[in-house]
Amino acid sequence: MLSSKRIVLFLSALAVASTSFAFSFSVPDVLHSAETLNHAIPHLKTAAHTIPHAKAAAATLHHTGFDPLSAYKELLKVHPLPTKMMTGATLAVCGDAIAQTKDKDAEYDKRRAASFAVFDMAYRALQHFSFPIIVAHCHGQYLGSLPMVGETFDASQLAAMEQTLASQLGIVPFLYYPAFFALTGAIQGLNASGAVTRAKENFFPLMKRNLLFWIPVQFVQFGYIQEDLQIPFLSVCGLAWTFILSVSAGSTKNYTPDKEVQEAMLTNSSNKHTEMAMASEAINEEEDVSTSAMMADAATY
């Protein structure tokens, strides 16, 4: 019985011979083609053996393919607090890095980036524990009791509005910003007086931007985002907010002790120049008075 290899060779030679006849190829060309096929057959067999393994690997990848969103949701179930904190810190550092690129002459400030990472992790932890309390106590009952409001919006919208206002008017001014100015200032080496000055100068401008940016975002969060994805959703939106926050009040260089010393020296120098100018004017006035008196005496004589 002929082996499979010889059968393949025979059929190949026959096919090539038929083609050679049809296109007036010579017999040596046919023999050369048969020899080429003879050398190629081992490689073809190897490829044929490889195909089933490739198909199996593709099928395995299809059935057990990596789904980033599913993997992230699984992390939220197994390790909810660390996952939320690391998500917030990562996106906060990215937002601050984008903000730092605005100053092309300055080097990347690692302490500033670290301060944003630490602050954002702390705030995500606060949200992790405070949001369930807000949701449990704010069902729209307060806004729904107001005239016209309860008739205009449904219960879910009223609940989302109440929860948003509780966060923005309760947590943000009394916990968020004190923690922001304290943590970022301490990590960047700012003393207590500098931190207070920085907070006084930036709190109200930031609070206005905060309300304009976060009230719509948090209404969507409380009204339409499932609970386990709310903080990751805020972290993603926080990428844009961190950029705004970092540009507006991220750096503490204008409030450092060295800056205060320089400003004090400039103030003292300016005061000294003012005093010297006033003394010089007084001397000139006295000289003018003396000169006038002498001229009057001379005229008398």
Side-chain angles (χ1 to χ4, degrees):
M1 189 173 180
L2 293 174
S3 64
S4 59
K5 181 177 180 181
R6 292 182 179 179
I7 292 173
V8 172
L9 279 173
F10 174 74
L11 293 175
S12 302
L14 182 61
V16 175
S18 301
T19 306
S20 300
F21 178 75
F23 292 96
S24 302
F25 286 162
S26 62
V27 174
D29 292 331
V30 175
L31 294 176
H32 178 69
S33 299
E35 290 177 0
T36 303
L37 286 172
N38 186 30
H39 290 296
I41 283 174
H43 301 288
L44 293 173
K45 285 184 176 181
T46 303
H49 285 297
T50 305
I51 289 174
H53 298 290
K55 288 183 177 180
T60 303
L61 185 61
H62 175 73
H63 291 295
T64 63
F66 177 68
D67 185 357
L69 182 58
S70 298
Y72 185 77
K73 287 183 176 180
E74 186 64 26
L75 279 176
L76 284 173
K77 290 181 181 179
V78 180
H79 306 289
L81 182 57
T83 303
K84 293 171 183 177
M85 292 173 68
M86 291 308 299
T87 302
T90 301
L91 294 174
V93 170
C94 293
D96 173 66
I98 297 171
Q100 290 198 42
T101 58
K102 288 179 64 65
D103 190 356
K104 296 182 180 180
D105 296 330
E107 295 183 358
Y108 180 69
D109 192 341
K110 295 179 180 178
R111 294 182 68 178
R112 174 174 164 179
S115 70
F116 272 90
V118 172
F119 163 69
D120 207 279
M121 284 194 293
Y123 187 58
R124 299 310 166 192
L126 174 64
Q127 288 179 327
H128 176 78
F129 294 107
S130 63
F131 280 176
I133 298 173
I134 292 175
V135 172
H137 290 84
C138 298
H139 305 290
Q141 68 272 28
Y142 303 109
L143 292 177
S145 63
L146 298 176
M148 300 296 293
V149 177
E151 300 174 0
T152 306
F153 303 97
D154 60 31
S156 62
Q157 292 174 332
L158 289 172
M161 291 168 64
E162 273 189 8
Q163 293 158 10
T164 299
L165 292 175
S167 175
Q168 290 300 310
L169 301 180
I171 292 177
V172 170
F174 298 107
L175 294 175
Y176 176 86
Y177 279 115
F180 169 74
F181 289 118
L183 286 175
T184 57
I187 294 174
Q188 295 186 56
L190 198 61
N191 60 19
S193 62
V196 171
T197 303
R198 177 175 172 237
K200 287 180 178 179
E201 291 182 3
N202 293 286
F203 175 76
F204 287 107
L206 285 176
M207 192 65 194
K208 292 178 183 178
R209 295 188 183 101
N210 190 99
L211 295 175
L212 291 172
F213 182 91
W214 282 112
I215 284 181
V217 171
Q218 285 212 295
F219 178 78
V220 173
Q221 169 222 326
F222 283 118
Y224 302 99
I225 306 298
Q226 64 187 66
E227 187 174 349
D228 60 335
L229 292 177
Q230 286 184 359
I231 293 179
F233 168 76
L234 292 179
S235 298
V236 173
C237 296
L239 177 65
W241 172 249
T242 302
F243 171 79
I244 298 171
L245 188 63
S246 182
V247 169
S248 302
S251 177
T252 62
K253 292 180 180 178
N254 293 331
Y255 306 96
T256 57
D258 292 340
K259 186 73 175 181
E260 292 178 358
V261 170
Q262 291 177 1
E263 290 179 353
M265 291 177 63
L266 289 173
T267 302
N268 292 334
S269 178
S270 177
N271 291 337
K272 287 181 180 179
H273 284 298
T274 303
E275 291 174 358
M276 291 177 64
M278 292 176 65
S280 177
E281 289 179 1
I283 292 172
N284 290 334
E285 289 178 357
E286 291 179 358
E287 290 179 350
D288 291 340
V289 170
S290 300
T291 304
S292 299
M294 292 175 63
M295 291 178 66
D297 293 339
T300 300
Y301 290 112

